[in-house]
Amino acid sequence: MRVGIYGGTFNPPHWGHLTAAAAAFRALDLDELLVLPAAVPPHKSLPEGSASVENRLEMARLAVGYLGLKDQAKVLDLEARRQGKSYTSDTL
């Protein structure tokens, strides 16, 4: 099984995220795409007034629905539940 992992702040999710996700899904012949919004990104500060991680998770879930991948694309809250900064190496 070929699984892709797509992390980011998704603040907010936008067409660029969706275009990149769909292109990677097809180009890499993935069976599943896991989208992981970061609670606290390690490389930048979230601007004041940014959506909460819970809101960004929900927006990501709604956005992923536009990919047309049905059950092949899922938004996970693994990084949202973690304390501190979100590092991909810890998630993996």
Side-chain angles (χ1 to χ4, degrees):
M1 175 178 256
R2 296 176 60 87
V3 179
I5 298 173
Y6 187 18
T9 54
F10 301 99
N11 185 36
H14 51 72
W15 286 113
H17 291 124
L18 296 177
T19 301
F25 187 86
R26 288 174 181 82
L28 299 172
D29 194 27
L30 298 176
D31 297 304
E32 186 173 51
L33 176 66
L34 305 177
V35 176
L36 292 109
V40 181
H43 59 289
K44 64 180 177 181
S45 297
L46 291 172
E48 188 173 326
S50 290
S52 68
V53 69
E54 293 82 13
N55 287 338
R56 290 185 287 115
L57 278 164
E58 185 58 27
M59 287 187 287
R61 286 184 184 108
L62 293 169
V64 163
Y66 286 99
L67 290 173
L69 298 175
K70 298 185 183 179
D71 294 332
Q72 294 172 293
K74 298 176 181 129
V75 176
L76 302 181
D77 67 352
L78 292 173
E79 293 194 1
R81 290 185 281 130
R82 180 178 300 127
Q83 296 294 316
K85 295 183 178 185
S86 298
Y87 291 99
T88 302
S89 59
D90 293 336
T91 301
L92 295 175

